[in-house]
């Protein structure tokens, strides 16, 4: 099915190709730029092109591919770096240099790289599509290979192979490949969803202690410019206790991505002591790459994440920032002249967002194992105004809300998570889990920490009016304790290797030590000492 371009408006073009389907991939122009059908009209189809359309002319050819946008899934994804259309950026760099030419094609997965296949099925056995036929060791992951279709095995041998050739074949002659293609906009199937019960340890004290996240849960990190969204997302990417991380750099600065990659290449995963990059997949659509592909990039990423979830892995998808994705959606919608909703975003913004976040969860996989996909998305509300549509749409589906506060960031309190307005719906089961696995004092310490912070808040006004000297001793003790909690517990310097990551055990210890000091001071004060006297003697002890 071929035809021609009949109109061009930026990345939105019309073609007269017959018989196209909605969401079908169309290759347009002499260069064969990749686009997706976003609307069908009687005589024409409207195509959203995911590459730079400059230089494209009316009359150039266009052809349908009879396939939707798919992700290629198989060995070799780990440690990979892809653009929104899943083109491998490193191999493109090697081949073509630092600029991606329009219509560039490159195998997503390296077809020459050698892998070791261990078959779990034998010739003569009947397979159902999706059934596990064997495995390949890929870094930290036992990469399970599934049957591409129903059929009886004629040949299937173990040993070294590469993706360029099939692993074996069915009795009807069709190949058994180690790779599969999956339409990115369709969630991958599972048996059933289970409630999240296990914490996602982030290594950030304020998150793990006050607003715990769950494996299989969703969290959003909204914050104005410079409040530390990127640093927090990257810290979580480094330190969270998951099997693998899919990091989507969505519309943010390219140099940040470059720094991230450089850093990841060097450091080790604190949980497995392997190179961090070995458990990471990066999808990059930075601000200097075509906007339209940004819309697709999060789907490409979540499809890869689901693929590993289906192997029983615990996967974390991080996106920085989802607002840039929503802006891309808005741009596409307006070029289609759809009816605009609030602030020009399409009316279906919230349902799209919900549909995407719905792909997270703990699931029983088709193979009967348990896997999870967690999501942490940063949101950049313009002007730091959280009432704007994207933040609101995210709020409806997110299980945890880590609100970054500009005034905290200004006073260099990082991570600038506001400890009154943030929340986590996973709180109860996660606190129970930490109490069981880390220390029975977890719940109590957490409660006392929150009480101190709350009482400080209500005392703050008094302190401003009467000054510290005019306050009662007991109240001054509270201010002293809360200050220590903020400085020594909630703050965490991402640039200080000793501090950047905190295991739940050491977080609890640190908090309990501050609380024990408070108790001790309160005891001495009850016996008649003043806070100033006590702090002076403590200071002397510390100095000795
Ligand atoms: N945990 C942290 N420790 C130390 N500095 C931080 C931390 N988080 C943020 N910062 C500081 O804040 C700056 C802005 O952070 P960034 O994540 O780039 O903000 P955003 O992505 O929200 O615009 C960083 O360059 C860094 O100086
Ligand atoms: Mg940022």
């Amino acid at each position: 099915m071929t035809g021609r371009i009949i109109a061009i408006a930026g990345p939105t073009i019309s073609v007269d190709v017959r018989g196209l389907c909605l969401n079908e991939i169309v290759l347009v122009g002499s260069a064969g730029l990749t686009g997706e059908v976003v609307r069908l009209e009687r005589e024409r189809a409207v195509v959203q092109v995911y590459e730079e359309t400059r230089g494209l002319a009316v009359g150039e050819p266009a052809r349908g591919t009879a396939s939707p946008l798919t992700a290629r899934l198989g060995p070799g994804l780990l440690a990979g770096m892809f653009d929104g259309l899943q083109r491998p950026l490193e191999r493109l760099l090697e081949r073509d240099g630092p600029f991606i030419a329009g219509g560039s094609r490159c195998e997503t997965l390296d077809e020459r790289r050698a892998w070791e296949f261990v078959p779990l099925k034998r010739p003569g056995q009947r397979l159902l599509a999706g059934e596990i036929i064997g495995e390949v060791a890929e870094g930290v992951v036992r990469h399970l290979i599934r049957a591409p279709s129903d059929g009886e095995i004629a040949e299937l041998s173990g040993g070294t192979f590469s993706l360029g050739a099939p692993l074996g074949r069915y009795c009807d002659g069709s190949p058994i490949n180690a790779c599969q293609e999956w339409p990115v906009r369709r969630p991958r199937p599972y048996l059933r969803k289970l409630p999240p019960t296990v914490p996602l340890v982030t290594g950030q004290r304020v998150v793990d202690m006050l607003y715990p996240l769950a494996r299989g849960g969703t969290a959003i990190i909204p914050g104005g410019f410079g409040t530390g969204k990127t640093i927090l997302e990257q810290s979580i990417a480094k330190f969270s206790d998951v099997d693998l991380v899919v990091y989507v750099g969505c519309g943010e600065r390219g140099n940040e991505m470059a720094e991230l990659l450089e850093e990841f290449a060097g450091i080790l995963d604190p949980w497995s002591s392997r190179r961090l990059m070995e458990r990471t997949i990066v999808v990059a659509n930075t601000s200097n790459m075509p906007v339209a592909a940004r819309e697709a990039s999060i789907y490409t990423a979540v499809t890869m994440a689901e693929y590993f979830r289906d192997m029983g892995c615990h996967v974390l998808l991080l996106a920085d920032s989802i607002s840039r994705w929503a802006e891309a959606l808005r741009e596409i919608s307006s070029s289609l002249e759809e009816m605009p909703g609030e602030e020009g975003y399409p009316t279906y913004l919230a349902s799209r967002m919900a549909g995407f976040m719905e792909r997270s969860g703990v699931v029983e996989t088709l193979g009967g194992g348990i896997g999870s996909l967690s999501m942490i998305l940063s949101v950049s509300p313009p002007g730091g105004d959280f009432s704007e549509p994207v933040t609101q749409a995210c709020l409806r589906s997110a299980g945890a809300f880590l609100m970054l506060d500009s005034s905290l960031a200004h006073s260099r309190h990082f991570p600038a998570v506001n400890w009154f307005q943030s929340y986590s719906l996973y709180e109860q089961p996660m606190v129970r889990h930490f109490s069981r696995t880390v220390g029975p004092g977890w719940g109590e310490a957490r409660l006392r920490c929150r009480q101190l912070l709350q009482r400080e808040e209500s005392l703050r006004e008094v302190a401003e009016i009467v000054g510290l000297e005019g306050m009662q001793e007991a109240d001054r003790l509270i201010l002293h304790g809360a200050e220590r909690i903020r400085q020594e517990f909630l703050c965490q310097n991402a640039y200080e290797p000793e501090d950047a990551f905190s295991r739940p055990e050491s977080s609890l210890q640190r908090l309990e030590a501050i609380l024990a000091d408070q108790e001790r001071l309160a005891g001495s004060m009850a016996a008649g000492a003043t806070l100033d006297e006590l702090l002076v003697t403590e200071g002397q002890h510390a100095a000795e």
Side-chain angles (χ1 to χ4, degrees), residues 229-231 252-253 256 320:
K229 298 179 295 293
T230 303
I231 301 275
E252 295 290 299
R253 293 181 289 267
E256 286 179 348
D320 183 26

